Amino acid sequence: MRRSMSAAAAAIVVAGLITAAGPAVAAETKCTPKIQVLGTIGDESYMRDTRRSQGVFDLGAGNLAVGVSGHKPVYWTGTTLHRVPLTDQNQTGQVLAVNALGLMVGVLHDFTGTSLFTYQAGAAAITLLPDSYGSDLEADVNDAGYVVSRSDSAVGTVWKDGQKVRELPVPADAGPGTRITMVTGINNQGDILGMATQDYEVPETGQHLEGTHPVLWPGDGSAARLLAPTANESYVQDIDESRRIVGYDWAGPWHEYAPLVWEPPLTGPATAPGGLSSHPYATFEAISATTNLSVGTAKFHPELMTLPDQALVRSGSGPVKALPRLAAGGASMADAASDGDRVGGSAVNAKGKLKPVIWTCATKQAYNSGS
């Protein structure tokens, strides 16, 4: 779902950002390990497993970050917050992803429902995407400007320049009664990632066929295909430039999550690198474009909260490590990763307020959760 900018993209001078809405995005520079707390507006409440009031959901070139603040779609340059301009101030929403040129995709919520929009950093207005859905809070955009998500007509869809340009087919081997239920990522090769769900009763026998499976639509134009299944339901969240995929396995209704990695060429099953020793469950939510930096959140059963949620990171093929909390006993979540070793997410401070944060030099701050 969340696109992460490569080192080359971070060096791009971003066109069109010098406007009244926000300053130009600077090139990414050598970082200092810290938890950078970003500017906020509105509600800063934290309620586990509800729509986030604050948070960084993707990292762009230089010091650009995008996400939500006070339930409004926003972006940041450094720690400075900029509102995405909305014609109706009663609308809420969030920015879900951004590409190397500052083109964002997000979702709006109002009394009529939800819809997706694109927005160029610094522009005067958003562009609503036709036949868009957005309720699953999953969408992505690559550096060529292709936006992917699920449309309101319940098919995987690609938009470009504000127009619908392609519908994504259900894989031929998916079986009867299968539909696309989520589209979560696209890389700069044009590989698209999503989910297909089967719900079908065989007329002759009454057998009920059901299950959710990851789907890849290859950027080279070859046929869409299902990825190898897992023992439970597996949710794919992000894809890097090498076609490495991260996500998680879901084993039941009690937050029984386990992080997963699908390695290219994606012909074998996913591998489970494990989570934090301090928490029984965990997810992977994003991966950097080229450096194999994966991030997510470690969790407990909601009724057995020995410890609050904690942001985690995995560098390459190494162990999963914890990222420091903003305050002792405060929950934290990681949702975005960059090739510049930045991790974006949210964390609760000492006053119990949820803040959008970026861990700079994240791998240098990470530690073994048992230490």
Side-chain angles (χ1 to χ4, degrees):
M1 168 183 82
R2 268 69 61 182
R3 291 293 302 125
S4 45
M5 297 299 105
S6 68
I12 291 175
V13 177
V14 180
L17 294 187
I18 306 177
T19 71
V25 175
E28 196 163 353
T29 58
K30 186 175 181 180
C31 60
T32 300
K34 63 181 178 181
I35 306 177
Q36 190 177 38
V37 179
L38 309 187
T40 61
I41 54 173
D43 181 18
E44 296 179 325
S45 62
Y46 168 65
M47 296 183 66
R48 191 177 190 262
D49 298 328
T50 61
R51 188 172 293 163
R52 203 85 56 81
S53 66
Q54 306 280 344
V56 174
F57 293 148
D58 201 7
L59 298 166
N63 63 0
L64 180 66
V66 302
V68 63
S69 187
H71 298 288
K72 300 289 187 178
V74 301
Y75 66 103
W76 296 266
T77 49
T79 60
T80 302
L81 180 144
H82 309 280
R83 297 172 183 255
V84 171
L86 304 178
T87 55
D88 180 356
Q89 294 308 307
N90 292 318
Q91 290 175 316
T92 59
Q94 50 263 101
V95 182
L96 301 173
V98 62
N99 72 7
L101 299 180
L103 179 64
M104 307 173 195
V105 59
V107 60
L108 289 181
H109 314 277
D110 60 24
F111 69 93
T112 64
T114 61
S115 58
L116 294 173
F117 67 89
T118 56
Y119 175 70
Q120 180 66 50
I126 63 173
T127 298
L128 292 176
L129 297 182
D131 190 30
S132 60
Y133 178 63
S135 288
D136 51 20
L137 302 182
E138 296 285 356
D140 202 3
V141 57
N142 71 1
D143 291 351
Y146 288 98
V147 173
V148 296
S149 188
R150 185 163 72 98
S151 74
D152 195 43
S153 50
V155 295
T157 301
V158 182
W159 293 264
K160 179 73 159 56
D161 299 325
Q163 300 298 316
K164 187 175 179 179
V165 296
R166 181 187 171 197
E167 291 188 347
L168 301 171
V170 174
D173 59 345
T178 298
R179 58 191 177 90
I180 303 304
T181 48
M182 206 173 287
V183 181
T184 58
I186 183 173
N187 63 16
N188 288 330
Q189 318 305 315
D191 300 315
I192 300 172
L193 188 65
M195 307 291 301
T197 299
Q198 184 180 35
D199 187 359
Y200 181 74
E201 186 171 295
V202 180
E204 295 80 8
T205 65
Q207 180 186 9
H208 191 197
L209 304 176
E210 59 182 339
T212 298
H213 308 282
V215 179
L216 179 74
W217 292 272
D220 60 12
S222 56
R225 59 189 176 97
L226 300 178
L227 302 186
T230 61
N232 303 294
E233 289 190 1
S234 51
Y235 287 78
V236 287
Q237 293 296 93
D238 203 4
I239 183 168
D240 74 3
E241 299 303 336
S242 74
R243 280 192 179 173
R244 182 177 292 108
I245 293 168
V246 297
Y248 53 87
D249 183 78
W250 180 65
W254 303 120
H255 300 259
E256 297 175 5
Y257 301 123
L260 295 176
V261 180
W262 288 260
E263 295 284 354
L266 304 178
T267 54
T271 59
L276 300 182
S277 61
S278 56
H279 293 68
Y281 312 124
T283 66
F284 278 155
E285 303 291 345
I287 187 170
S288 61
T290 64
T291 59
N292 196 7
L293 183 70
S294 303
V295 301
T297 303
K299 300 172 180 286
F300 267 85
H301 184 298
E303 297 176 4
L304 299 171
M305 288 291 291
T306 304
L307 290 171
D309 292 355
Q310 184 159 12
L312 58 82
V313 64
R314 183 186 188 227
S315 179
S317 58
V320 172
K321 294 185 177 182
L323 287 169
R325 300 181 185 275
L326 188 57
S332 61
M333 294 69 64
D335 295 285
S338 82
D339 284 354
D341 203 19
R342 295 192 302 156
V343 171
S346 53
V348 176
N349 69 11
K351 296 181 179 180
K353 302 295 186 180
L354 186 65
K355 297 289 186 177
V357 298
I358 294 174
W359 288 266
T360 59
C361 289
T363 56
K364 295 182 180 179
Q365 301 186 58
Y367 62 94
N368 293 321
S369 59
S371 61

